[in-house]
Amino acid sequence: MNKILLTLFALLVNMTVVLAQTETEADTTWRRNFSAGINLNQAAFSENWRAGGVNSIALNSHLNAGADYSKGRVSWDNEVQLQYGLVKNKGEEMRKSVDRIYLDSKYGYKLSSDWNSFFSANFLSQFAPGYNYNIDADGTDLLISNFLSPAFLTFALGAEYKPNPSFSLRLSPFAPRFTFVVDDEVADNERYGVPEGKTVRTEWLAAMVQASFKRDIATNLNLKLNYMGYLNYGEFSFERVDHRLNAVLNAKINRYISVNLMGNVIYDYDQDPGVQYSQSLGLGILYTLEGFTVGR
């Protein structure tokens, strides 16, 4: 079952790419946006530096892309968010600092000026292994995550409120989710809610709320927020509601140089009873294309 679902989602992503590149009819409009950046942070201290500090170097990269189609009452919105970073401190091996894969595709049908019915699919995972470092006296590292371990594939059916291009709110009373842990070593250490002896957990009866906001809040300053709340009807309690928030604040200094602040906040009881968060701040090179249209 899990191989079939992953294959279907891979086909969905490929269809998105192919159709987004296909020449369109006269009344067909595609709007695309793309941004990619690399940030480098470095610190060095002399051996007699009395204030304290550790020599370090860090490299973060990110890519955000979207392809939105609109024709009459029909819309098709597609989004990709990729983040990956490494950090090297003196005396330690290279370690991962940030790691995120997020794909989202939504088909909508306009009901009124502000409301759409929709069907969507989104995928969330990471690129590389993640560890708890030096958990034992001998310095053993514990593998706790990897590509597709975990991975979350969620389908949703519902209504979307979209009063303007900057904000949208999706309400999904039916949102089945599939949680994958395919790496046996990760499964020995972390289950992420997947039953023992299984590689996938299926939650058929569930609801989801998604909200997104993207806007220039000042000259050359852009804010992007994505929130996802998920509730399994069979485990109904406030403690069991999953929350995920991703935020990106980008300040453009000139055409190619930017400063960006990225943050992720997660509450998922199946992973940890506490709130998880990650944050990165960097100065680097940013290449952006916004709001261009393809059509005849």
Side-chain angles (χ1 to χ4, degrees):
M1 174 65 76
N2 57 328
K3 292 182 180 179
I4 294 174
L5 290 169
L6 287 174
T7 301
L8 290 174
F9 189 74
L11 290 174
L12 174 65
V13 173
N14 288 333
M15 287 174 60
T16 299
V17 175
V18 172
L19 289 175
Q21 294 175 344
T22 301
E23 189 175 13
T24 58
E25 299 176 2
D27 57 347
T28 299
T29 301
W30 280 97
R31 292 186 62 84
R32 297 182 175 94
N33 63 82
F34 175 88
S35 67
I38 297 177
N39 303 318
L40 179 65
N41 301 298
Q42 182 268 341
F45 306 89
S46 65
E47 294 295 333
N48 62 339
W49 183 258
R50 299 305 182 187
V54 177
N55 294 352
S56 65
I57 185 169
L59 179 68
N60 291 335
S61 60
H62 64 276
L63 183 150
N64 296 307
D68 299 338
Y69 166 90
S70 179
K71 180 181 179 181
R73 289 179 174 269
V74 174
S75 63
W76 186 17
D77 300 335
N78 304 278
E79 182 179 12
V80 176
Q81 294 181 18
L82 306 176
Q83 299 173 6
Y84 190 73
L86 295 169
V87 61
K88 175 70 171 69
N89 293 322
K90 183 179 180 181
E92 297 178 348
E93 70 276 19
M94 188 77 74
R95 297 181 177 183
K96 182 172 66 173
S97 58
V98 63
D99 191 355
R100 188 172 189 263
I101 301 172
Y102 177 77
L103 310 174
D104 184 81
S105 184
K106 175 182 66 70
Y107 177 88
Y109 186 83
K110 187 177 290 295
L111 301 175
S112 68
S113 60
D114 295 339
W115 286 91
N116 303 317
S117 60
F118 78 90
F119 174 76
S120 71
N122 68 65
F123 175 79
L124 180 65
S125 190
Q126 59 186 37
F127 290 101
Y131 297 90
N132 272 343
Y133 291 98
N134 303 323
I135 63 169
D136 297 329
D138 61 357
T140 302
D141 298 333
L142 182 69
L143 180 68
I144 57 172
S145 62
N146 207 341
F147 178 64
L148 297 182
S149 299
F152 305 92
L153 176 60
T154 308
F155 299 95
L157 179 67
E160 177 188 41
Y161 175 64
K162 193 171 184 179
N164 56 65
S166 300
F167 175 78
S168 70
L169 175 66
R170 302 184 202 173
L171 305 173
S172 309
F174 179 65
R177 181 173 69 179
F178 304 87
T179 304
F180 301 90
V181 178
V182 301
D183 189 314
D184 292 337
E185 187 176 349
V186 171
D188 289 338
N189 304 320
E190 291 284 351
R191 299 302 309 175
Y192 296 98
V194 176
E196 195 74 33
K198 304 283 188 178
T199 59
V200 60
R201 177 193 183 189
T202 303
E203 299 171 272
W204 285 109
L205 298 177
M208 183 167 65
V209 175
Q210 292 174 270
S212 65
F213 176 83
K214 181 181 180 181
R215 188 172 181 178
D216 291 332
I217 57 177
T219 303
N220 294 327
L221 185 63
N222 181 268
L223 175 64
K224 186 172 185 178
L225 301 171
N226 284 285
Y227 167 79
M228 181 186 299
Y230 192 83
L231 170 65
N232 185 326
Y233 291 130
E235 300 176 349
F236 184 79
S237 71
F238 290 109
E239 184 182 60
R240 290 287 185 171
V241 178
D242 298 342
H243 302 276
R244 293 177 178 272
L245 176 65
N246 172 256
V248 179
L249 182 64
N250 186 78
K252 197 170 183 179
I253 298 175
N254 58 34
R255 185 176 180 182
Y256 297 111
I257 305 299
S258 70
V259 176
N260 61 73
L261 176 65
M262 300 182 188
N264 294 286
V265 179
I266 299 174
Y267 174 78
D268 186 338
Y269 191 85
D270 292 318
Q271 296 187 26
D272 192 284
V275 176
Q276 307 172 56
Y277 67 90
S278 66
Q279 173 267 323
S280 63
L281 173 66
L283 170 68
I285 299 172
L286 177 71
Y287 179 74
T288 302
L289 291 173
E290 286 284 348
F292 56 96
T293 302
V294 176
R296 291 191 217 176

